[in-house]
Coordinates of all heavy atoms in Angstrom, one line a residue:
N1 N -1.4 -7.7 -0.3 CA -0.7 -7.3 -1.5 C 0.8 -7.5 -1.4 O 1.4 -7.8 -2.4 CB -1.0 -5.8 -1.8 CG -2.4 -5.5 -2.3 OD1 -3.1 -6.5 -2.7 ND2 -2.8 -4.3 -2.4
A2 N 1.4 -7.3 -0.2 CA 2.8 -7.5 -0.1 C 3.2 -8.9 -0.4 O 4.3 -9.2 -0.9 CB 3.2 -7.2 1.4
V3 N 2.3 -9.9 -0.2 CA 2.6 -11.3 -0.5 C 2.3 -11.5 -2.0 O 3.1 -12.1 -2.7 CB 1.8 -12.2 0.4 CG1 2.0 -13.7 -0.1 CG2 2.3 -12.1 1.8
K4 N 1.1 -11.0 -2.4 CA 0.6 -11.2 -3.8 C 1.6 -10.7 -4.8 O 1.8 -11.3 -5.9 CB -0.8 -10.6 -3.9 CG -1.5 -10.9 -5.2 CD -3.0 -10.7 -5.1 CE -3.4 -9.3 -5.1 NZ -4.9 -9.1 -5.3
Y5 N 2.2 -9.5 -4.6 CA 3.0 -8.8 -5.5 C 4.5 -9.0 -5.2 O 5.4 -8.3 -5.7 CB 2.7 -7.4 -5.6 CG 1.4 -7.1 -6.3 CD1 0.2 -6.9 -5.5 CD2 1.2 -7.1 -7.6 CE1 -1.0 -6.7 -6.1 CE2 0.0 -6.8 -8.2 CZ -1.1 -6.7 -7.4 OH -2.3 -6.5 -8.0
N6 N 4.8 -10.0 -4.4 CA 6.2 -10.3 -4.1 C 6.8 -11.3 -5.1 O 6.1 -11.9 -5.8 CB 6.3 -10.8 -2.6 CG 7.6 -10.4 -1.9 OD1 8.6 -10.2 -2.5 ND2 7.4 -10.2 -0.6
R7 N 8.1 -11.4 -5.0 CA 8.8 -12.4 -5.8 C 8.9 -13.7 -5.1 O 8.7 -13.7 -3.9 CB 10.2 -11.9 -6.2 CG 11.1 -11.7 -5.0 CD 12.5 -11.0 -5.3 NE 12.3 -9.6 -5.3 CZ 12.6 -8.8 -6.4 NH1 13.1 -9.3 -7.5 NH2 12.4 -7.5 -6.4
D8 N 9.2 -14.8 -5.8 CA 9.4 -16.1 -5.1 C 10.5 -15.9 -4.0 O 11.5 -15.3 -4.3 CB 9.9 -17.1 -6.1 CG 8.7 -17.5 -7.1 OD1 7.6 -17.3 -6.7 OD2 9.0 -18.0 -8.2
N9 N 10.3 -16.5 -2.9 CA 11.2 -16.4 -1.7 C 11.4 -15.0 -1.3 O 12.4 -14.7 -0.7 CB 12.5 -17.1 -2.1 CG 12.3 -18.6 -2.4 OD1 11.7 -19.3 -1.6 ND2 12.9 -19.0 -3.5
G10 N 10.5 -14.1 -1.5 CA 10.6 -12.7 -1.1 C 10.3 -12.6 0.4 O 10.0 -13.6 1.1
K11 N 10.4 -11.4 0.9 CA 10.3 -11.1 2.3 C 9.3 -10.0 2.5 O 9.2 -9.1 1.7 CB 11.7 -10.7 2.9 CG 11.7 -10.4 4.3 CD 13.2 -10.1 4.7 CE 13.2 -9.6 6.2 NZ 14.5 -9.2 6.5
V12 N 8.5 -10.1 3.6 CA 7.6 -9.1 4.0 C 7.8 -8.8 5.5 O 7.9 -9.7 6.3 CB 6.1 -9.5 3.9 CG1 5.1 -8.5 4.4 CG2 5.8 -9.8 2.4
D13 N 8.0 -7.5 5.8 CA 8.2 -7.1 7.2 C 7.0 -6.2 7.6 O 6.7 -5.3 6.8 CB 9.5 -6.3 7.4 CG 10.7 -7.2 7.3 OD1 10.7 -8.3 7.9 OD2 11.7 -6.8 6.7
V14 N 6.4 -6.4 8.8 CA 5.4 -5.5 9.3 C 5.8 -5.0 10.6 O 6.3 -5.7 11.5 CB 4.1 -6.4 9.5 CG1 3.0 -5.5 10.1 CG2 3.6 -7.0 8.2
T15 N 5.7 -3.6 10.7 CA 6.1 -3.0 12.0 C 4.9 -2.1 12.4 O 4.2 -1.5 11.6 CB 7.4 -2.1 11.8 OG1 7.1 -1.1 10.8 CG2 8.6 -2.9 11.5
L16 N 4.8 -2.0 13.7 CA 3.8 -1.2 14.4 C 4.5 -0.2 15.3 O 5.4 -0.7 16.1 CB 2.7 -2.0 15.1 CG 1.9 -3.0 14.4 CD1 1.2 -3.9 15.3 CD2 1.0 -2.3 13.4
K17 N 4.0 1.0 15.4 CA 4.6 2.0 16.3 C 3.5 2.9 16.8 O 2.8 3.5 16.0 CB 5.7 2.8 15.6 CG 6.4 3.8 16.6 CD 7.5 4.5 15.9 CE 7.1 5.6 15.0 NZ 8.2 6.4 14.4
A18 N 3.3 3.0 18.1 CA 2.4 3.9 18.8 C 3.1 5.0 19.4 O 4.1 4.8 20.2 CB 1.6 3.1 19.8
E19 N 2.7 6.3 19.0 CA 3.5 7.4 19.5 C 2.6 8.6 19.4 O 2.0 8.9 18.3 CB 4.7 7.6 18.7 CG 5.7 8.7 19.2 CD 7.0 8.7 18.4 OE1 7.0 9.1 17.2 OE2 8.0 8.2 18.9
D20 N 2.5 9.4 20.5 CA 1.7 10.7 20.5 C 0.3 10.5 20.0 O -0.3 11.3 19.3 CB 2.4 11.7 19.6 CG 3.8 12.1 20.1 OD1 4.0 12.1 21.4 OD2 4.6 12.4 19.3
G21 N -0.4 9.4 20.5 CA -1.8 9.1 20.1 C -2.0 8.6 18.7 O -3.1 8.6 18.2
M22 N -0.9 8.3 18.0 CA -1.0 7.9 16.6 C -0.5 6.5 16.5 O 0.5 6.1 17.2 CB -0.3 8.8 15.6 CG -0.7 10.2 15.7 SD -2.4 10.5 15.2 CE -2.2 10.6 13.4
L23 N -1.0 5.6 15.7 CA -0.5 4.3 15.4 C 0.0 4.3 14.0 O -0.8 4.6 13.0 CB -1.6 3.2 15.6 CG -1.2 1.8 15.2 CD1 -0.2 1.3 16.2 CD2 -2.5 0.9 15.2
T24 N 1.2 3.9 13.8 CA 1.8 3.8 12.4 C 2.0 2.3 12.1 O 2.7 1.6 12.9 CB 3.2 4.5 12.3 OG1 2.9 5.9 12.7 CG2 3.7 4.4 11.0
I25 N 1.5 1.9 11.0 CA 1.6 0.5 10.5 C 2.4 0.6 9.2 O 2.1 1.3 8.3 CB 0.3 -0.2 10.2 CG1 -0.6 -0.1 11.4 CG2 0.4 -1.6 9.7 CD1 -2.1 -0.2 11.1
Q26 N 3.5 -0.2 9.2 CA 4.4 -0.1 8.0 C 4.6 -1.6 7.5 O 4.9 -2.5 8.2 CB 5.7 0.5 8.3 CG 6.3 1.2 7.2 CD 7.4 2.2 7.6 OE1 8.3 1.8 8.4 NE2 7.5 3.4 7.1
V27 N 4.3 -1.8 6.2 CA 4.5 -3.1 5.5 C 5.5 -2.9 4.4 O 5.3 -2.1 3.5 CB 3.2 -3.6 5.0 CG1 3.4 -4.9 4.3 CG2 2.1 -3.7 6.1
T28 N 6.6 -3.6 4.5 CA 7.7 -3.5 3.5 C 7.9 -4.9 2.9 O 8.0 -5.9 3.6 CB 9.0 -3.1 4.2 OG1 8.8 -1.8 4.8 CG2 10.2 -2.9 3.2
D29 N 8.0 -4.9 1.6 CA 8.2 -6.1 0.8 C 9.4 -6.0 -0.1 O 9.9 -4.9 -0.4 CB 7.0 -6.5 0.1 CG 6.6 -5.6 -1.1 OD1 7.5 -5.3 -1.9 OD2 5.4 -5.2 -1.2
T30 N 9.8 -7.2 -0.6 CA 10.9 -7.3 -1.5 C 10.4 -7.6 -2.9 O 11.0 -8.3 -3.7 CB 11.9 -8.3 -1.1 OG1 11.3 -9.6 -1.0 CG2 12.6 -8.0 0.2
G31 N 9.2 -7.1 -3.2 CA 8.4 -7.4 -4.4 C 8.9 -6.7 -5.6 O 10.0 -6.2 -5.7
I32 N 8.0 -6.6 -6.6 CA 8.3 -6.2 -7.9 C 8.4 -4.6 -8.0 O 9.0 -4.1 -8.9 CB 7.2 -6.6 -8.9 CG1 5.8 -6.1 -8.6 CG2 7.2 -8.1 -9.0 CD1 4.7 -6.5 -9.6
G33 N 7.9 -3.9 -7.0 CA 8.1 -2.5 -6.9 C 7.3 -1.8 -8.0 O 6.7 -2.4 -8.9
M34 N 7.3 -0.4 -7.9 CA 6.5 0.4 -8.9 C 7.3 1.7 -9.2 O 8.1 2.1 -8.4 CB 5.2 0.8 -8.3 CG 4.2 -0.3 -8.0 SD 2.8 0.2 -7.0 CE 3.6 0.3 -5.4
S35 N 6.9 2.3 -10.3 CA 7.5 3.6 -10.6 C 6.8 4.7 -9.8 O 5.7 4.5 -9.2 CB 7.3 3.9 -12.1 OG 5.9 4.1 -12.4
E36 N 7.3 5.9 -9.8 CA 6.6 7.0 -9.1 C 5.3 7.3 -9.7 O 4.3 7.6 -9.0 CB 7.5 8.3 -9.2 CG 8.5 8.5 -8.2 CD 9.2 9.8 -8.2 OE1 8.5 10.9 -8.2 OE2 10.4 9.9 -8.3
E37 N 5.1 7.2 -11.0 CA 3.9 7.5 -11.7 C 2.8 6.4 -11.2 O 1.7 6.8 -10.9 CB 4.1 7.5 -13.2 CG 2.8 7.9 -14.0 CD 1.8 6.8 -14.2 OE1 2.2 5.7 -14.4 OE2 0.6 7.1 -14.3
E38 N 3.2 5.2 -11.2 CA 2.3 4.1 -10.7 C 1.9 4.3 -9.3 O 0.7 4.2 -8.9 CB 3.0 2.7 -10.9 CG 3.1 2.3 -12.3 CD 4.0 1.1 -12.5 OE1 5.0 0.9 -11.7 OE2 3.8 0.4 -13.5
C39 N 2.9 4.7 -8.4 CA 2.6 5.0 -7.0 C 1.6 6.1 -6.9 O 0.7 6.1 -6.0 CB 3.8 5.3 -6.2 SG 4.9 4.0 -6.0
S40 N 1.6 7.1 -7.7 CA 0.8 8.3 -7.6 C -0.7 8.0 -7.9 O -1.6 8.7 -7.4 CB 1.2 9.4 -8.5 OG 1.0 9.1 -9.9
R41 N -1.0 6.9 -8.6 CA -2.3 6.5 -8.9 C -2.9 5.4 -8.0 O -4.1 5.1 -8.0 CB -2.4 5.9 -10.3 CG -2.0 6.9 -11.4 CD -2.1 6.4 -12.8 NE -1.3 5.3 -13.1 CZ -1.7 4.1 -13.5 NH1 -3.0 3.8 -13.6 NH2 -0.8 3.1 -13.7
L42 N -2.1 4.8 -7.2 CA -2.4 3.5 -6.5 C -3.5 3.6 -5.6 O -4.3 2.6 -5.4 CB -1.1 3.1 -5.8 CG -1.1 1.6 -5.4 CD1 -1.2 0.7 -6.6 CD2 0.2 1.3 -4.7
F43 N -3.8 4.7 -4.9 CA -4.8 4.7 -3.8 C -6.2 5.2 -4.4 O -7.1 5.4 -3.6 CB -4.4 5.6 -2.7 CG -3.2 5.0 -1.9 CD1 -1.9 5.4 -2.1 CD2 -3.5 4.1 -0.9 CE1 -0.9 4.8 -1.4 CE2 -2.4 3.5 -0.2 CZ -1.1 3.9 -0.4
N44 N -6.3 5.2 -5.7 CA -7.6 5.6 -6.3 C -8.5 4.4 -6.5 O -8.0 3.3 -6.7 CB -7.4 6.4 -7.6 CG -6.7 7.7 -7.4 OD1 -7.0 8.4 -6.5 ND2 -5.8 8.0 -8.3
D45 N -9.8 4.6 -6.5 CA -10.7 3.5 -6.7 C -10.5 2.8 -8.1 O -10.3 3.4 -9.1 CB -12.2 3.9 -6.7 CG -12.6 4.5 -5.4 OD1 -11.9 4.2 -4.4 OD2 -13.7 5.1 -5.3
F46 N -10.5 1.4 -8.0 CA -10.4 0.6 -9.2 C -9.1 0.7 -9.9 O -9.0 0.3 -11.1 CB -11.6 0.8 -10.1 CG -12.9 0.5 -9.5 CD1 -13.8 1.6 -9.2 CD2 -13.3 -0.8 -9.2 CE1 -15.0 1.3 -8.6 CE2 -14.5 -1.0 -8.6 CZ -15.4 0.0 -8.3
V47 N -8.1 1.2 -9.3 CA -6.8 1.3 -9.9 C -6.0 0.0 -9.7 O -5.8 -0.5 -8.6 CB -6.0 2.5 -9.4 CG1 -4.5 2.4 -9.9 CG2 -6.6 3.8 -9.9
R48 N -5.5 -0.6 -10.8 CA -4.6 -1.8 -10.7 C -3.5 -1.4 -11.6 O -3.7 -1.0 -12.8 CB -5.3 -3.0 -11.2 CG -6.5 -3.4 -10.2 CD -6.9 -4.8 -10.4 NE -5.8 -5.8 -10.2 CZ -5.5 -6.6 -11.1 NH1 -6.1 -6.7 -12.3 NH2 -4.4 -7.4 -10.9
I49 N -2.3 -1.7 -11.2 CA -1.1 -1.4 -12.0 C -1.0 -2.6 -12.9 O -0.8 -3.7 -12.5 CB 0.2 -1.3 -11.1 CG1 0.0 -0.2 -10.1 CG2 1.4 -1.0 -12.0 CD1 -0.4 1.2 -10.7
K50 N -1.1 -2.3 -14.2 CA -1.0 -3.4 -15.2 C 0.2 -3.3 -16.1 O 0.5 -2.3 -16.7 CB -2.3 -3.4 -16.1 CG -3.5 -3.7 -15.3 CD -4.7 -3.7 -16.2 CE -6.0 -3.9 -15.3 NZ -7.2 -4.0 -16.1
N51 N 1.0 -4.4 -16.0 CA 2.2 -4.5 -16.8 C 2.6 -5.9 -16.9 O 1.8 -6.8 -16.5 CB 3.4 -3.6 -16.2 CG 3.7 -4.1 -14.8 OD1 3.8 -5.2 -14.5 ND2 4.0 -3.1 -13.9
S52 N 3.7 -6.2 -17.5 CA 4.0 -7.6 -17.8 C 4.2 -8.4 -16.5 O 4.0 -9.7 -16.5 CB 5.3 -7.7 -18.6 OG 6.4 -7.1 -17.9
K53 N 4.6 -7.8 -15.4 CA 4.8 -8.5 -14.1 C 3.5 -8.7 -13.4 O 3.4 -9.6 -12.5 CB 5.7 -7.7 -13.2 CG 7.1 -7.5 -13.8 CD 7.9 -6.6 -12.9 CE 9.2 -6.2 -13.6 NZ 9.9 -5.1 -12.8
T54 N 2.4 -7.9 -13.7 CA 1.2 -8.0 -12.9 C 0.0 -8.6 -13.7 O -1.1 -8.8 -13.1 CB 0.8 -6.7 -12.3 OG1 0.5 -5.8 -13.4 CG2 1.9 -6.1 -11.5
R55 N 0.2 -8.9 -14.9 CA -1.0 -9.2 -15.8 C -1.7 -10.5 -15.3 O -2.9 -10.6 -15.6 CB -0.6 -9.3 -17.2 CG 0.3 -10.5 -17.6 CD 0.5 -10.6 -19.1 NE 1.7 -11.4 -19.3 CZ 2.7 -11.1 -20.0 NH1 2.8 -9.9 -20.6 NH2 3.8 -11.9 -20.1
D56 N -1.1 -11.4 -14.6 CA -1.7 -12.6 -14.2 C -2.2 -12.6 -12.7 O -2.6 -13.6 -12.2 CB -0.8 -13.8 -14.4 CG -0.5 -14.1 -15.9 OD1 -1.4 -13.8 -16.7 OD2 0.7 -14.5 -16.2
I57 N -2.1 -11.4 -12.1 CA -2.5 -11.3 -10.7 C -3.9 -10.7 -10.7 O -4.2 -9.6 -11.2 CB -1.5 -10.4 -9.9 CG1 -0.1 -11.0 -10.0 CG2 -2.0 -10.2 -8.5 CD1 1.0 -10.1 -9.4
L58 N -4.8 -11.4 -10.0 CA -6.2 -10.9 -9.9 C -6.4 -9.9 -8.8 O -5.7 -9.9 -7.8 CB -7.1 -12.1 -9.7 CG -7.1 -13.2 -10.7 CD1 -7.9 -14.4 -10.3 CD2 -7.5 -12.7 -12.1
G59 N -7.4 -9.1 -9.0 CA -7.8 -8.1 -8.0 C -8.8 -7.1 -8.5 O -8.9 -7.0 -9.7
S60 N -9.5 -6.4 -7.6 CA -10.5 -5.4 -8.0 C -9.9 -4.0 -8.1 O -10.6 -3.1 -8.7 CB -11.6 -5.4 -7.1 OG -11.2 -5.0 -5.8
G61 N -8.8 -3.7 -7.5 CA -8.3 -2.4 -7.4 C -9.0 -1.5 -6.4 O -8.9 -0.3 -6.5
L62 N -9.6 -2.1 -5.4 CA -10.3 -1.4 -4.4 C -9.6 -1.4 -3.0 O -9.8 -0.6 -2.2 CB -11.8 -1.9 -4.2 CG -12.7 -1.5 -5.3 CD1 -14.1 -2.2 -5.1 CD2 -12.9 0.0 -5.3
G63 N -8.8 -2.4 -2.8 CA -8.2 -2.6 -1.4 C -7.5 -1.4 -0.9 O -7.7 -1.0 0.2
L64 N -6.6 -0.9 -1.7 CA -5.8 0.3 -1.2 C -6.6 1.6 -1.1 O -6.3 2.4 -0.2 CB -4.5 0.5 -2.0 CG -3.5 -0.7 -1.8 CD1 -2.4 -0.5 -2.8 CD2 -3.0 -0.7 -0.4
S65 N -7.6 1.7 -1.9 CA -8.4 2.9 -1.8 C -9.3 2.8 -0.6 O -9.5 3.9 0.1 CB -9.3 3.1 -3.1 OG -10.3 2.1 -3.1
I66 N -9.7 1.7 -0.2 CA -10.5 1.5 1.1 C -9.5 1.7 2.3 O -9.9 2.4 3.2 CB -11.1 0.1 1.1 CG1 -12.2 0.0 0.1 CG2 -11.6 -0.2 2.6 CD1 -12.7 -1.4 -0.1
V67 N -8.3 1.2 2.2 CA -7.3 1.5 3.3 C -7.1 3.0 3.5 O -7.1 3.5 4.6 CB -6.0 0.8 3.0 CG1 -4.9 1.3 3.9 CG2 -6.1 -0.7 3.1
K68 N -7.0 3.7 2.4 CA -6.8 5.2 2.5 C -8.0 5.9 3.1 O -7.9 6.8 3.9 CB -6.4 5.8 1.1 CG -6.1 7.3 1.2 CD -5.5 7.8 0.0 CE -5.1 9.2 0.2 NZ -4.2 9.7 -0.8
K69 N -9.2 5.5 2.7 CA -10.4 6.1 3.2 C -10.6 5.8 4.7 O -11.0 6.7 5.4 CB -11.6 5.6 2.4 CG -11.7 6.1 1.0 CD -12.8 5.5 0.2 CE -12.7 6.0 -1.2 NZ -13.6 5.3 -2.1
L70 N -10.2 4.6 5.1 CA -10.3 4.3 6.6 C -9.2 5.1 7.3 O -9.5 5.7 8.4 CB -10.0 2.8 6.8 CG -11.2 1.9 6.4 CD1 -10.8 0.5 6.4 CD2 -12.4 2.1 7.3
A71 N -8.0 5.2 6.8 CA -7.0 6.0 7.4 C -7.4 7.5 7.6 O -7.3 8.1 8.6 CB -5.7 5.9 6.7
L72 N -8.0 8.0 6.5 CA -8.5 9.4 6.6 C -9.6 9.6 7.6 O -9.6 10.6 8.3 CB -8.9 9.9 5.2 CG -7.8 10.1 4.2 CD1 -8.4 10.3 2.8 CD2 -6.8 11.1 4.6
A73 N -10.5 8.6 7.8 CA -11.6 8.7 8.7 C -11.0 8.7 10.2 O -11.6 9.1 11.1 CB -12.5 7.5 8.6
Y74 N -9.8 8.1 10.3 CA -9.1 8.1 11.6 C -8.0 9.2 11.7 O -7.0 9.0 12.4 CB -8.6 6.7 11.9 CG -9.6 5.7 12.4 CD1 -10.4 5.1 11.5 CD2 -9.8 5.5 13.7 CE1 -11.4 4.2 11.9 CE2 -10.8 4.6 14.2 CZ -11.6 4.0 13.2 OH -12.6 3.1 13.7
N75 N -8.3 10.3 11.0 CA -7.3 11.4 11.0 C -5.9 11.0 10.7 O -4.9 11.5 11.4 CB -7.4 12.1 12.4 CG -8.7 12.9 12.6 OD1 -9.2 13.5 11.6 ND2 -9.3 12.7 13.7
G76 N -5.8 10.1 9.8 CA -4.4 9.6 9.4 C -4.1 9.7 8.0 O -4.7 10.6 7.3
S77 N -3.3 8.8 7.5 CA -2.9 8.9 6.1 C -2.5 7.5 5.6 O -2.2 6.6 6.4 CB -1.7 9.8 5.9 OG -0.6 9.4 6.7
A78 N -2.4 7.3 4.3 CA -1.8 6.1 3.7 C -0.9 6.5 2.6 O -1.3 7.4 1.8 CB -3.0 5.2 3.2
S79 N 0.3 5.9 2.5 CA 1.2 6.3 1.5 C 2.1 5.1 1.1 O 2.1 4.1 1.8 CB 2.1 7.5 2.0 OG 2.9 7.0 3.2
V80 N 2.8 5.3 0.0 CA 3.7 4.3 -0.4 C 5.0 4.9 -1.0 O 5.0 6.0 -1.6 CB 3.0 3.4 -1.5 CG1 2.7 4.2 -2.8 CG2 3.9 2.2 -1.9
T81 N 6.1 4.2 -0.8 CA 7.4 4.5 -1.5 C 7.8 3.2 -2.1 O 7.5 2.1 -1.6 CB 8.5 4.9 -0.5 OG1 8.7 4.0 0.5 CG2 8.1 6.3 0.1
S82 N 8.4 3.2 -3.3 CA 8.7 2.0 -4.0 C 9.8 2.3 -5.0 O 10.0 3.4 -5.5 CB 7.4 1.6 -4.7 OG 7.6 0.3 -5.3
Q83 N 10.4 1.2 -5.4 CA 11.4 1.2 -6.4 C 11.2 -0.1 -7.3 O 11.1 -1.2 -6.7 CB 12.8 1.1 -5.9 CG 13.4 2.4 -5.3 CD 14.8 2.2 -4.9 OE1 15.2 1.5 -4.0 NE2 15.7 2.9 -5.7
P84 N 11.1 0.1 -8.6 CA 10.9 -1.1 -9.5 C 12.0 -2.1 -9.2 O 13.2 -1.8 -9.1 CB 11.0 -0.5 -10.9 CG 10.6 1.0 -10.7 CD 11.1 1.3 -9.4
D85 N 11.6 -3.4 -9.1 CA 12.5 -4.5 -9.0 C 13.2 -4.5 -7.6 O 14.1 -5.3 -7.4 CB 13.5 -4.6 -10.1 CG 12.8 -4.8 -11.5 OD1 11.8 -5.5 -11.5 OD2 13.2 -4.1 -12.4
V86 N 12.8 -3.7 -6.7 CA 13.4 -3.6 -5.4 C 12.4 -3.9 -4.3 O 12.6 -4.8 -3.4 CB 14.1 -2.3 -5.1 CG1 14.6 -2.2 -3.6 CG2 15.2 -2.0 -6.1
G87 N 11.2 -3.3 -4.3 CA 10.2 -3.5 -3.4 C 9.5 -2.2 -3.0 O 9.7 -1.2 -3.6
S88 N 8.5 -2.4 -2.1 CA 7.7 -1.2 -1.7 C 7.5 -1.2 -0.2 O 7.6 -2.2 0.5 CB 6.3 -1.4 -2.3 OG 6.3 -1.5 -3.7
T89 N 7.2 0.0 0.3 CA 6.9 0.2 1.7 C 5.6 1.0 1.8 O 5.5 2.1 1.3 CB 8.0 0.9 2.5 OG1 9.2 0.2 2.5 CG2 7.6 1.2 3.9
F90 N 4.6 0.4 2.4 CA 3.3 1.0 2.6 C 3.2 1.5 4.0 O 3.5 0.7 4.9 CB 2.1 0.0 2.3 CG 2.0 -0.2 0.8 CD1 2.8 -1.2 0.2 CD2 1.1 0.5 0.0 CE1 2.7 -1.4 -1.2 CE2 1.0 0.2 -1.3 CZ 1.8 -0.7 -1.9
T91 N 2.8 2.7 4.2 CA 2.7 3.3 5.6 C 1.3 3.8 5.8 O 0.8 4.6 5.0 CB 3.7 4.4 5.8 OG1 5.0 3.9 5.5 CG2 3.6 4.9 7.2
V92 N 0.7 3.3 6.9 CA -0.7 3.7 7.3 C -0.6 4.3 8.7 O 0.0 3.7 9.6 CB -1.7 2.6 7.2 CG1 -3.1 3.0 7.7 CG2 -1.8 2.0 5.9
V93 N -1.0 5.5 8.8 CA -1.0 6.2 10.1 C -2.5 6.4 10.5 O -3.3 6.9 9.8 CB -0.3 7.6 10.1 CG1 -0.4 8.3 11.4 CG2 1.1 7.4 9.6
L94 N -2.8 6.0 11.8 CA -4.2 6.1 12.3 C -4.1 6.9 13.6 O -3.3 6.8 14.4 CB -4.7 4.7 12.6 CG -4.8 3.7 11.5 CD1 -5.2 2.4 12.0 CD2 -5.7 4.2 10.4
G95 N -5.1 7.8 13.7 CA -5.3 8.6 14.9 C -6.7 8.3 15.5 O -7.2 7.2 15.3
K96 N -7.2 9.3 16.2 CA -8.6 9.1 16.8 C -9.5 9.4 15.7 O -9.3 10.3 14.9 CB -8.8 10.0 18.0 CG -7.9 9.6 19.1 CD -8.2 10.5 20.3 CE -7.3 10.0 21.5 NZ -7.6 10.8 22.7
P97 N -10.7 8.6 15.6 CA -11.7 8.9 14.6 C -12.3 10.2 14.7 O -12.4 10.8 15.7 CB -12.7 7.7 14.8 CG -12.5 7.3 16.2 CD -11.1 7.6 16.6
T98 N -12.7 10.7 13.5 CA -13.4 12.0 13.5 C -14.9 11.8 13.9 O -15.5 10.9 13.5 CB -13.5 12.5 12.0 OG1 -12.1 12.6 11.5 CG2 -14.2 13.8 11.9
E99 N -15.3 12.6 14.8 CA -16.7 12.5 15.4 C -17.6 13.4 14.5 O -17.3 14.5 14.1 CB -16.7 13.0 16.8 CG -16.0 12.0 17.7 CD -16.1 12.4 19.2 OE1 -17.2 12.9 19.5 OE2 -15.2 12.1 19.9
E100 N -18.8 12.9 14.2 CA -19.8 13.6 13.4 C -20.9 14.1 14.3 O -21.2 13.6 15.3 CB -20.2 12.7 12.3 CG -19.1 12.5 11.3 CD -19.6 11.7 10.1 OE1 -20.7 11.9 9.7 OE2 -18.8 11.0 9.5

């Protein structure tokens, strides 16, 4: 998504950090960004942000909801911060999986 929703000649940075038994993965892009309201809906099933900037971008709206479900299964979280026309930072934190 960081590439798909980025601008021409945009940038994507990926960082990993392991600390206290947790792994944090952060993906930051210089893409089109989103409003707070759009961010609040993003991790739900079949949600795609539709506006003039995204109307020609294909997708099912399942990718980020799957990421969040996997993160929760590993006692972690998935979140996003974003600014329209500036870019977004997605953060996924993973711990040890929940045993059933």
Side-chain angles (χ1 to χ4, degrees):
N1 286 349
V3 173
K4 186 161 73 168
Y5 290 95
N6 214 325
R7 63 186 83 238
D8 291 339
N9 299 311
K11 182 178 174 185
V12 175
D13 289 316
V14 178
T15 59
L16 301 171
K17 180 172 79 171
E19 187 173 75
D20 298 327
M22 304 295 277
L23 175 67
T24 301
I25 306 160
Q26 213 165 42
V27 179
T28 301
D29 66 49
T30 57
I32 60 177
M34 296 170 282
S35 69
E36 272 189 52
E37 189 275 327
E38 290 168 330
C39 289
S40 71
R41 298 184 297 121
L42 200 59
F43 291 97
N44 295 318
D45 293 347
F46 301 108
V47 169
R48 295 196 57 237
I49 305 304
K50 295 185 182 180
N51 57 42
S52 62
K53 297 175 191 172
T54 63
R55 69 173 161 236
D56 295 325
I57 299 173
L58 299 176
S60 66
L62 284 173
L64 291 173
S65 70
I66 292 169
V67 166
K68 184 167 187 168
K69 288 173 186 172
L70 287 169
L72 291 173
Y74 281 83
N75 292 315
S77 61
S79 61
V80 62
T81 57
S82 188
Q83 285 187 289
D85 301 316
V86 175
S88 303
T89 298
F90 288 83
T91 303
V92 177
V93 178
L94 303 173
K96 293 185 179 182
T98 303
E99 294 185 30
E100 293 187 31

